[in-house]
Amino acid sequence: DTAVSQTPKYLVTQMGNDKSIKCEQNLGHDTMYWYKQDSKKFLKIMFSYNNKELIINETVPNRFSPKSPDKAHLNLHINSLELGDSAVYFCASSQDELRGYTFGSGTRLTVV
Amino acid sequence: GEDVEQSLFLSVREGDSSVINCTYTDSSSTYLYWYKQEPGAGLQLLTYIFSNMDMKQDQRLTVLLNKKDKHLSLRIADTQTGDSAIYFCAESMGDYKLSFGAGTTVTVRA
């Protein structure tokens, strides 16, 4: 039933490790996003894919690599994790501007 | 969050009205949105307004848009404890990209 689902919900890992966060949407939306929410609750867009094509790539370290195997999935792989990567990462999808985004419940990443 | 600004905190008594304010910078924004984030959850779209509208009402929610001043507000009538959350204002930047404010934490006290 879940519209946008992310796994895992919590991720605690050591500096220098590589980790992935998965996202899937069953809404039939064409566009998917990754947003980062820092400890002050600021939300910044990282990436956006439309029909598996990258359309937004904000200033994000190239340790972050999104992958969209099909339009229902957008995964985020992070290499060489750093302390500053600790945040909540939200996946979202949209069909058009009018209806805005549908968000997943977030993945809280803690790098120790 | 630098394109969209909001006050960070609002405390309101149960049963009173809450008004959350937001200013944005992009005059070409087509849509403006209000999202609600409860603790540990994702953002939930509450309402939106098209840029050629001045006002939109949806049950207890009233959105006012002053396009000249680039000012957006959300009024919640008869605020309840379940309305305690962070409220984000967002503007569409084109190409499906949304720019969010820093969020206003609303605390409802009995």
Side-chain angles (χ1 to χ4, degrees), chain B residues 13-18 60 75-81 83:
Chain B
R13 195 158 36 188
E14 194 174 5
D16 287 351
S17 291
S18 311
R60 292 190 298 122
R75 178 176 178 269
I76 306 172
D78 187 25
T79 312
Q80 304 297 307
T81 53
D83 295 324

Side-chain angles (χ1 to χ4, degrees), chain A residues 83-94:
Chain A
L83 292 176
D85 298 331
S86 295
V88 181
Y89 291 84
F90 285 102
C91 179
S93 70
S94 70

Side-chain angles (χ1 to χ4, degrees), chain B residues 40-91:
Chain B
L43 279 75
Q44 171 199 352
L45 178 64
L46 274 182
T47 187
Y48 64 89
I49 188 166
F50 189 46
S51 59
N52 69 354
M53 296 167 68
D54 298 324
M55 185 182 93
K56 181 178 178 183
Q57 185 144 7
D58 184 0
Q59 298 181 334
R60 292 190 298 122
L61 304 178
T62 304
V63 179
L64 294 178
L65 175 60
N66 180 330
K67 203 169 174 187
K68 177 174 158 290
D69 294 339
K70 300 196 193 75
H71 182 264
L72 182 73
S73 67
L74 174 70
R75 178 176 178 269
I76 306 172
D78 187 25
T79 312
Q80 304 297 307
T81 53
D83 295 324
S84 291
I86 304 175
Y87 291 81
F88 290 91
C89 168
E91 61 171 338

